[in-house]
Amino acid sequence: MCACGRGGAAHNGRVRYEELADVPCSITRPLVILGDRWTLLILKYCFAGVRRFNAFQSALGISRSRLRDRLDRLVEHEILVKRPVDDGAYEEYRLTAKGHAIYPVLMAIRDWGDTYMAPEGPPVEYRHRACTGEAHVHLTCDTCQAEVTARDIEPQAGPGLTGIV
């Protein structure tokens, strides 16, 4: 059984990248969509308000074909929606509800980066508009509300893990 790190045939080192979407693991599957730096950087810029193709290209310095590929993938997976602006002069990319749900993932990466890769301190602080406190990601138990770490977690087979031995 895989259970996200417990071994099994799906993780024997012979799985092709495209086949990872079929692995019954909710960590592995999203990596097929989000698992490269360009996609995460595009999403970072989306949250910063970038919406136009040329603005992404200018901000990232990414090739037009690679940018088109990543944006198309995000649209295909309904993380972004592409639509014309009111006057129809151009199209823009907007985050969907599914796209907005990725924000905590980016914030968790940011927290890790601030802790381990920012020796001079955080380059950007993400402040709560209502009170100016800094935003951080915390992992909590949905039953007792206790804050948990990897040491407190025990992966167990869930309802989506069927027919795997």
Side-chain angles (χ1 to χ4, degrees), residues 33-70:
I33 303 164
L34 305 172
D36 72 88
R37 67 178 178 249
W38 295 118
T39 302
L40 293 175
L41 288 171
I42 288 166
L43 290 169
K44 176 190 134 181
Y45 279 98
C46 285
F47 284 107
V50 175
R51 296 183 180 144
R52 296 178 63 182
F53 184 92
N54 288 338
F56 285 115
Q57 208 277 322
S58 175
L60 293 167
I62 184 175
S63 74
R64 295 181 73 78
S65 62
R66 181 162 286 153
L67 177 58
R68 173 78 51 219
D69 175 69
R70 298 316 188 271

mmCIF file of all heavy atoms in Angstrom, residues 33-70:
data_model
loop_
_atom_site.group_PDB
_atom_site.id
_atom_site.type_symbol
_atom_site.label_atom_id
_atom_site.label_comp_id
_atom_site.label_asym_id
_atom_site.label_seq_id
_atom_site.Cartn_x
_atom_site.Cartn_y
_atom_site.Cartn_z
ATOM 1 N N ILE A 33 0.703 18.653 -11.557
ATOM 2 C CA ILE A 33 0.262 19.982 -11.990
ATOM 3 C C ILE A 33 1.186 21.074 -11.449
ATOM 4 O O ILE A 33 1.564 21.992 -12.160
ATOM 5 C CB ILE A 33 -1.173 20.265 -11.492
ATOM 6 C CG1 ILE A 33 -2.133 19.194 -11.977
ATOM 7 C CG2 ILE A 33 -1.637 21.650 -11.931
ATOM 8 C CD1 ILE A 33 -3.450 19.191 -11.237
ATOM 9 N N LEU A 34 1.558 20.981 -10.186
ATOM 10 C CA LEU A 34 2.246 22.071 -9.495
ATOM 11 C C LEU A 34 3.739 21.855 -9.310
ATOM 12 O O LEU A 34 4.420 22.745 -8.796
ATOM 13 C CB LEU A 34 1.628 22.257 -8.101
ATOM 14 C CG LEU A 34 0.133 22.491 -8.053
ATOM 15 C CD1 LEU A 34 -0.360 22.459 -6.619
ATOM 16 C CD2 LEU A 34 -0.228 23.789 -8.735
ATOM 17 N N GLY A 35 4.262 20.711 -9.726
ATOM 18 C CA GLY A 35 5.600 20.301 -9.331
ATOM 19 C C GLY A 35 6.773 20.882 -10.090
ATOM 20 O O GLY A 35 7.811 20.243 -10.179
ATOM 21 N N ASP A 36 6.655 22.057 -10.637
ATOM 22 C CA ASP A 36 7.837 22.706 -11.214
ATOM 23 C C ASP A 36 7.859 24.165 -10.769
ATOM 24 O O ASP A 36 6.840 24.734 -10.414
ATOM 25 C CB ASP A 36 7.868 22.584 -12.743
ATOM 26 C CG ASP A 36 6.840 23.464 -13.417
ATOM 27 O OD1 ASP A 36 7.167 24.635 -13.703
ATOM 28 O OD2 ASP A 36 5.723 22.995 -13.673
ATOM 29 N N ARG A 37 9.037 24.746 -10.788
ATOM 30 C CA ARG A 37 9.180 26.096 -10.240
ATOM 31 C C ARG A 37 8.357 27.134 -10.992
ATOM 32 O O ARG A 37 7.856 28.070 -10.383
ATOM 33 C CB ARG A 37 10.648 26.504 -10.218
ATOM 34 C CG ARG A 37 11.247 26.676 -11.591
ATOM 35 C CD ARG A 37 12.688 27.122 -11.521
ATOM 36 N NE ARG A 37 13.231 27.220 -12.840
ATOM 37 C CZ ARG A 37 14.149 26.408 -13.317
ATOM 38 N NH1 ARG A 37 14.634 25.446 -12.578
ATOM 39 N NH2 ARG A 37 14.594 26.575 -14.536
ATOM 40 N N TRP A 38 8.215 26.984 -12.306
ATOM 41 C CA TRP A 38 7.503 28.000 -13.070
ATOM 42 C C TRP A 38 6.042 28.072 -12.668
ATOM 43 O O TRP A 38 5.476 29.155 -12.537
ATOM 44 C CB TRP A 38 7.644 27.757 -14.571
ATOM 45 C CG TRP A 38 9.054 27.913 -15.034
ATOM 46 C CD1 TRP A 38 9.839 26.947 -15.600
ATOM 47 C CD2 TRP A 38 9.868 29.089 -14.958
ATOM 48 N NE1 TRP A 38 11.081 27.457 -15.874
ATOM 49 C CE2 TRP A 38 11.130 28.776 -15.496
ATOM 50 C CE3 TRP A 38 9.657 30.386 -14.473
ATOM 51 C CZ2 TRP A 38 12.162 29.695 -15.584
ATOM 52 C CZ3 TRP A 38 10.688 31.301 -14.553
ATOM 53 C CH2 TRP A 38 11.918 30.950 -15.105
ATOM 54 N N THR A 39 5.411 26.922 -12.466
ATOM 55 C CA THR A 39 3.998 26.915 -12.102
ATOM 56 C C THR A 39 3.787 27.595 -10.755
ATOM 57 O O THR A 39 2.882 28.425 -10.597
ATOM 58 C CB THR A 39 3.471 25.471 -12.080
ATOM 59 O OG1 THR A 39 3.677 24.890 -13.378
ATOM 60 C CG2 THR A 39 1.994 25.425 -11.736
ATOM 61 N N LEU A 40 4.619 27.271 -9.783
ATOM 62 C CA LEU A 40 4.480 27.908 -8.472
ATOM 63 C C LEU A 40 4.764 29.404 -8.539
ATOM 64 O O LEU A 40 4.098 30.202 -7.871
ATOM 65 C CB LEU A 40 5.382 27.221 -7.453
ATOM 66 C CG LEU A 40 4.979 25.779 -7.109
ATOM 67 C CD1 LEU A 40 6.007 25.146 -6.193
ATOM 68 C CD2 LEU A 40 3.592 25.728 -6.495
ATOM 69 N N LEU A 41 5.733 29.799 -9.361
ATOM 70 C CA LEU A 41 6.018 31.231 -9.502
ATOM 71 C C LEU A 41 4.877 31.959 -10.209
ATOM 72 O O LEU A 41 4.531 33.084 -9.845
ATOM 73 C CB LEU A 41 7.339 31.442 -10.239
ATOM 74 C CG LEU A 41 8.580 31.092 -9.416
ATOM 75 C CD1 LEU A 41 9.828 31.115 -10.293
ATOM 76 C CD2 LEU A 41 8.727 32.033 -8.239
ATOM 77 N N ILE A 42 4.280 31.322 -11.200
ATOM 78 C CA ILE A 42 3.111 31.916 -11.859
ATOM 79 C C ILE A 42 2.008 32.138 -10.827
ATOM 80 O O ILE A 42 1.404 33.214 -10.771
ATOM 81 C CB ILE A 42 2.620 31.022 -13.020
ATOM 82 C CG1 ILE A 42 3.610 31.085 -14.187
ATOM 83 C CG2 ILE A 42 1.218 31.425 -13.468
ATOM 84 C CD1 ILE A 42 3.408 30.013 -15.239
ATOM 85 N N LEU A 43 1.772 31.140 -9.997
ATOM 86 C CA LEU A 43 0.742 31.278 -8.968
ATOM 87 C C LEU A 43 1.090 32.372 -7.964
ATOM 88 O O LEU A 43 0.227 33.142 -7.540
ATOM 89 C CB LEU A 43 0.504 29.940 -8.274
ATOM 90 C CG LEU A 43 -0.186 28.902 -9.154
ATOM 91 C CD1 LEU A 43 -0.154 27.533 -8.498
ATOM 92 C CD2 LEU A 43 -1.611 29.334 -9.476
ATOM 93 N N LYS A 44 2.357 32.457 -7.600
ATOM 94 C CA LYS A 44 2.787 33.537 -6.698
ATOM 95 C C LYS A 44 2.430 34.897 -7.295
ATOM 96 O O LYS A 44 1.890 35.771 -6.609
ATOM 97 C CB LYS A 44 4.297 33.447 -6.464
ATOM 98 C CG LYS A 44 4.850 34.571 -5.630
ATOM 99 C CD LYS A 44 6.360 34.554 -5.643
ATOM 100 C CE LYS A 44 6.824 35.957 -5.885
ATOM 101 N NZ LYS A 44 8.210 36.180 -5.955
ATOM 102 N N TYR A 45 2.702 35.072 -8.582
ATOM 103 C CA TYR A 45 2.381 36.340 -9.241
ATOM 104 C C TYR A 45 0.878 36.543 -9.387
ATOM 105 O O TYR A 45 0.391 37.673 -9.310
ATOM 106 C CB TYR A 45 3.095 36.456 -10.590
ATOM 107 C CG TYR A 45 4.521 36.903 -10.415
ATOM 108 C CD1 TYR A 45 5.569 35.986 -10.421
ATOM 109 C CD2 TYR A 45 4.832 38.245 -10.206
ATOM 110 C CE1 TYR A 45 6.885 36.397 -10.232
ATOM 111 C CE2 TYR A 45 6.145 38.663 -10.014
ATOM 112 C CZ TYR A 45 7.157 37.731 -10.030
ATOM 113 O OH TYR A 45 8.450 38.148 -9.838
ATOM 114 N N CYS A 46 0.123 35.459 -9.578
ATOM 115 C CA CYS A 46 -1.342 35.590 -9.609
ATOM 116 C C CYS A 46 -1.850 36.190 -8.309
ATOM 117 O O CYS A 46 -2.689 37.095 -8.317
ATOM 118 C CB CYS A 46 -1.996 34.221 -9.820
ATOM 119 S SG CYS A 46 -1.894 33.572 -11.484
ATOM 120 N N PHE A 47 -1.333 35.678 -7.184
ATOM 121 C CA PHE A 47 -1.757 36.201 -5.890
ATOM 122 C C PHE A 47 -1.310 37.641 -5.681
ATOM 123 O O PHE A 47 -1.898 38.373 -4.894
ATOM 124 C CB PHE A 47 -1.278 35.300 -4.757
ATOM 125 C CG PHE A 47 -2.082 34.037 -4.634
ATOM 126 C CD1 PHE A 47 -1.549 32.831 -5.024
ATOM 127 C CD2 PHE A 47 -3.380 34.068 -4.152
ATOM 128 C CE1 PHE A 47 -2.290 31.658 -4.923
ATOM 129 C CE2 PHE A 47 -4.138 32.910 -4.044
ATOM 130 C CZ PHE A 47 -3.588 31.706 -4.431
ATOM 131 N N ALA A 48 -0.292 38.060 -6.405
ATOM 132 C CA ALA A 48 0.178 39.447 -6.323
ATOM 133 C C ALA A 48 -0.583 40.358 -7.290
ATOM 134 O O ALA A 48 -0.309 41.549 -7.368
ATOM 135 C CB ALA A 48 1.678 39.507 -6.614
ATOM 136 N N GLY A 49 -1.520 39.795 -8.049
ATOM 137 C CA GLY A 49 -2.358 40.603 -8.926
ATOM 138 C C GLY A 49 -1.995 40.586 -10.394
ATOM 139 O O GLY A 49 -2.632 41.279 -11.190
ATOM 140 N N VAL A 50 -1.000 39.822 -10.796
ATOM 141 C CA VAL A 50 -0.654 39.722 -12.217
ATOM 142 C C VAL A 50 -1.714 38.875 -12.902
ATOM 143 O O VAL A 50 -2.088 37.814 -12.405
ATOM 144 C CB VAL A 50 0.762 39.122 -12.409
ATOM 145 C CG1 VAL A 50 1.065 38.908 -13.881
ATOM 146 C CG2 VAL A 50 1.800 40.025 -11.767
ATOM 147 N N ARG A 51 -2.184 39.344 -14.069
ATOM 148 C CA ARG A 51 -3.267 38.648 -14.774
ATOM 149 C C ARG A 51 -3.031 38.487 -16.265
ATOM 150 O O ARG A 51 -3.664 37.653 -16.888
ATOM 151 C CB ARG A 51 -4.580 39.394 -14.565
ATOM 152 C CG ARG A 51 -5.000 39.414 -13.122
ATOM 153 C CD ARG A 51 -6.331 40.083 -12.961
ATOM 154 N NE ARG A 51 -6.704 40.072 -11.557
ATOM 155 C CZ ARG A 51 -7.340 41.053 -10.975
ATOM 156 N NH1 ARG A 51 -7.698 42.113 -11.653
ATOM 157 N NH2 ARG A 51 -7.641 40.964 -9.688
ATOM 158 N N ARG A 52 -2.150 39.286 -16.843
ATOM 159 C CA ARG A 52 -1.954 39.263 -18.296
ATOM 160 C C ARG A 52 -0.723 38.457 -18.678
ATOM 161 O O ARG A 52 0.284 38.478 -17.982
ATOM 162 C CB ARG A 52 -1.824 40.695 -18.818
ATOM 163 C CG ARG A 52 -3.102 41.485 -18.615
ATOM 164 C CD ARG A 52 -2.973 42.901 -19.072
ATOM 165 N NE ARG A 52 -2.719 42.955 -20.507
ATOM 166 C CZ ARG A 52 -2.526 44.075 -21.185
ATOM 167 N NH1 ARG A 52 -2.568 45.230 -20.572
ATOM 168 N NH2 ARG A 52 -2.294 44.042 -22.474
ATOM 169 N N PHE A 53 -0.824 37.781 -19.816
ATOM 170 C CA PHE A 53 0.258 36.942 -20.311
ATOM 171 C C PHE A 53 1.572 37.704 -20.374
ATOM 172 O O PHE A 53 2.595 37.255 -19.857
ATOM 173 C CB PHE A 53 -0.100 36.384 -21.702
ATOM 174 C CG PHE A 53 0.922 35.439 -22.246
ATOM 175 C CD1 PHE A 53 0.808 34.077 -22.028
ATOM 176 C CD2 PHE A 53 2.010 35.904 -22.978
ATOM 177 C CE1 PHE A 53 1.762 33.184 -22.526
ATOM 178 C CE2 PHE A 53 2.964 35.031 -23.479
ATOM 179 C CZ PHE A 53 2.838 33.674 -23.244
ATOM 180 N N ASN A 54 1.557 38.874 -20.994
ATOM 181 C CA ASN A 54 2.788 39.654 -21.144
ATOM 182 C C ASN A 54 3.356 40.107 -19.804
ATOM 183 O O ASN A 54 4.575 40.207 -19.651
ATOM 184 C CB ASN A 54 2.557 40.857 -22.062
ATOM 185 C CG ASN A 54 2.392 40.435 -23.511
ATOM 186 O OD1 ASN A 54 2.837 39.359 -23.908
ATOM 187 N ND2 ASN A 54 1.738 41.273 -24.305
ATOM 188 N N ALA A 55 2.511 40.346 -18.833
ATOM 189 C CA ALA A 55 2.991 40.736 -17.503
ATOM 190 C C ALA A 55 3.682 39.557 -16.819
ATOM 191 O O ALA A 55 4.713 39.729 -16.174
ATOM 192 C CB ALA A 55 1.832 41.252 -16.654
ATOM 193 N N PHE A 56 3.121 38.348 -16.973
ATOM 194 C CA PHE A 56 3.796 37.150 -16.440
ATOM 195 C C PHE A 56 5.149 36.982 -17.120
ATOM 196 O O PHE A 56 6.162 36.750 -16.464
ATOM 197 C CB PHE A 56 2.970 35.886 -16.688
ATOM 198 C CG PHE A 56 1.783 35.730 -15.802
ATOM 199 C CD1 PHE A 56 0.500 35.749 -16.328
ATOM 200 C CD2 PHE A 56 1.930 35.524 -14.435
ATOM 201 C CE1 PHE A 56 -0.609 35.579 -15.527
ATOM 202 C CE2 PHE A 56 0.825 35.356 -13.618
ATOM 203 C CZ PHE A 56 -0.453 35.386 -14.170
ATOM 204 N N GLN A 57 5.152 37.098 -18.429
ATOM 205 C CA GLN A 57 6.381 36.884 -19.203
ATOM 206 C C GLN A 57 7.442 37.895 -18.800
ATOM 207 O O GLN A 57 8.596 37.553 -18.592
ATOM 208 C CB GLN A 57 6.063 36.980 -20.700
ATOM 209 C CG GLN A 57 6.977 36.174 -21.584
ATOM 210 C CD GLN A 57 8.273 36.907 -21.895
ATOM 211 O OE1 GLN A 57 8.283 38.114 -22.082
ATOM 212 N NE2 GLN A 57 9.365 36.163 -21.933
ATOM 213 N N SER A 58 7.052 39.130 -18.634
ATOM 214 C CA SER A 58 7.985 40.175 -18.248
ATOM 215 C C SER A 58 8.514 39.965 -16.818
ATOM 216 O O SER A 58 9.705 40.089 -16.564
ATOM 217 C CB SER A 58 7.283 41.532 -18.355
ATOM 218 O OG SER A 58 8.107 42.547 -17.890
ATOM 219 N N ALA A 59 7.636 39.606 -15.903
ATOM 220 C CA ALA A 59 8.029 39.428 -14.501
ATOM 221 C C ALA A 59 8.927 38.211 -14.315
ATOM 222 O O ALA A 59 9.853 38.236 -13.504
ATOM 223 C CB ALA A 59 6.789 39.301 -13.624
ATOM 224 N N LEU A 60 8.660 37.157 -15.056
ATOM 225 C CA LEU A 60 9.367 35.896 -14.847
ATOM 226 C C LEU A 60 10.579 35.698 -15.756
ATOM 227 O O LEU A 60 11.476 34.928 -15.422
ATOM 228 C CB LEU A 60 8.407 34.718 -15.040
ATOM 229 C CG LEU A 60 7.299 34.596 -14.001
ATOM 230 C CD1 LEU A 60 6.237 33.617 -14.468
ATOM 231 C CD2 LEU A 60 7.880 34.160 -12.676
ATOM 232 N N GLY A 61 10.574 36.330 -16.922
ATOM 233 C CA GLY A 61 11.646 36.093 -17.880
ATOM 234 C C GLY A 61 11.602 34.687 -18.460
ATOM 235 O O GLY A 61 12.599 34.159 -18.927
ATOM 236 N N ILE A 62 10.458 34.062 -18.426
ATOM 237 C CA ILE A 62 10.237 32.706 -18.913
ATOM 238 C C ILE A 62 9.947 32.755 -20.413
ATOM 239 O O ILE A 62 9.426 33.758 -20.906
ATOM 240 C CB ILE A 62 9.058 32.082 -18.127
ATOM 241 C CG1 ILE A 62 8.811 30.626 -18.499
ATOM 242 C CG2 ILE A 62 7.797 32.889 -18.288
ATOM 243 C CD1 ILE A 62 7.724 29.964 -17.639
ATOM 244 N N SER A 63 10.291 31.707 -21.133
ATOM 245 C CA SER A 63 9.996 31.687 -22.564
ATOM 246 C C SER A 63 8.481 31.689 -22.771
ATOM 247 O O SER A 63 7.721 31.182 -21.937
ATOM 248 C CB SER A 63 10.601 30.454 -23.238
ATOM 249 O OG SER A 63 9.871 29.292 -22.901
ATOM 250 N N ARG A 64 8.059 32.262 -23.861
ATOM 251 C CA ARG A 64 6.630 32.356 -24.151
ATOM 252 C C ARG A 64 5.991 30.976 -24.265
ATOM 253 O O ARG A 64 4.882 30.759 -23.774
ATOM 254 C CB ARG A 64 6.399 33.187 -25.413
ATOM 255 C CG ARG A 64 6.830 34.644 -25.235
ATOM 256 C CD ARG A 64 6.594 35.486 -26.470
ATOM 257 N NE ARG A 64 5.200 35.792 -26.708
ATOM 258 C CZ ARG A 64 4.491 36.712 -26.063
ATOM 259 N NH1 ARG A 64 5.067 37.443 -25.124
ATOM 260 N NH2 ARG A 64 3.232 36.920 -26.364
ATOM 261 N N SER A 65 6.681 30.035 -24.877
ATOM 262 C CA SER A 65 6.099 28.697 -25.046
ATOM 263 C C SER A 65 5.966 27.977 -23.697
ATOM 264 O O SER A 65 4.955 27.318 -23.437
ATOM 265 C CB SER A 65 6.923 27.860 -26.018
ATOM 266 O OG SER A 65 8.228 27.661 -25.531
ATOM 267 N N ARG A 66 6.955 28.106 -22.839
ATOM 268 C CA ARG A 66 6.876 27.470 -21.515
ATOM 269 C C ARG A 66 5.773 28.132 -20.684
ATOM 270 O O ARG A 66 5.014 27.457 -20.002
ATOM 271 C CB ARG A 66 8.207 27.559 -20.795
ATOM 272 C CG ARG A 66 8.156 26.884 -19.429
ATOM 273 C CD ARG A 66 9.507 26.581 -18.883
ATOM 274 N NE ARG A 66 10.030 25.453 -19.642
ATOM 275 C CZ ARG A 66 11.327 25.221 -19.833
ATOM 276 N NH1 ARG A 66 12.218 26.039 -19.336
ATOM 277 N NH2 ARG A 66 11.729 24.188 -20.525
ATOM 278 N N LEU A 67 5.689 29.458 -20.743
ATOM 279 C CA LEU A 67 4.637 30.159 -20.022
ATOM 280 C C LEU A 67 3.264 29.725 -20.530
ATOM 281 O O LEU A 67 2.368 29.429 -19.728
ATOM 282 C CB LEU A 67 4.805 31.672 -20.168
ATOM 283 C CG LEU A 67 3.729 32.540 -19.522
ATOM 284 C CD1 LEU A 67 3.616 32.271 -18.026
ATOM 285 C CD2 LEU A 67 4.023 34.010 -19.799
ATOM 286 N N ARG A 68 3.098 29.664 -21.835
ATOM 287 C CA ARG A 68 1.818 29.234 -22.420
ATOM 288 C C ARG A 68 1.467 27.828 -21.923
ATOM 289 O O ARG A 68 0.335 27.551 -21.528
ATOM 290 C CB ARG A 68 1.898 29.252 -23.946
ATOM 291 C CG ARG A 68 0.709 28.670 -24.664
ATOM 292 C CD ARG A 68 -0.515 29.538 -24.757
ATOM 293 N NE ARG A 68 -0.194 30.843 -25.256
ATOM 294 C CZ ARG A 68 -0.753 31.971 -24.782
ATOM 295 N NH1 ARG A 68 -1.648 31.913 -23.831
ATOM 296 N NH2 ARG A 68 -0.424 33.128 -25.266
ATOM 297 N N ASP A 69 2.451 26.924 -21.921
ATOM 298 C CA ASP A 69 2.226 25.558 -21.456
ATOM 299 C C ASP A 69 1.751 25.533 -20.000
ATOM 300 O O ASP A 69 0.787 24.858 -19.652
ATOM 301 C CB ASP A 69 3.505 24.730 -21.614
ATOM 302 C CG ASP A 69 3.368 23.339 -21.039
ATOM 303 O OD1 ASP A 69 2.606 22.536 -21.613
ATOM 304 O OD2 ASP A 69 4.005 23.062 -19.995
ATOM 305 N N ARG A 70 2.424 26.285 -19.126
ATOM 306 C CA ARG A 70 2.065 26.284 -17.711
ATOM 307 C C ARG A 70 0.696 26.932 -17.477
ATOM 308 O O ARG A 70 -0.107 26.430 -16.696
ATOM 309 C CB ARG A 70 3.125 26.998 -16.867
ATOM 310 C CG ARG A 70 4.503 26.388 -16.873
ATOM 311 C CD ARG A 70 4.509 24.865 -16.741
ATOM 312 N NE ARG A 70 5.834 24.332 -16.572
ATOM 313 C CZ ARG A 70 6.651 23.968 -17.569
ATOM 314 N NH1 ARG A 70 6.276 24.093 -18.823
ATOM 315 N NH2 ARG A 70 7.845 23.466 -17.311
#
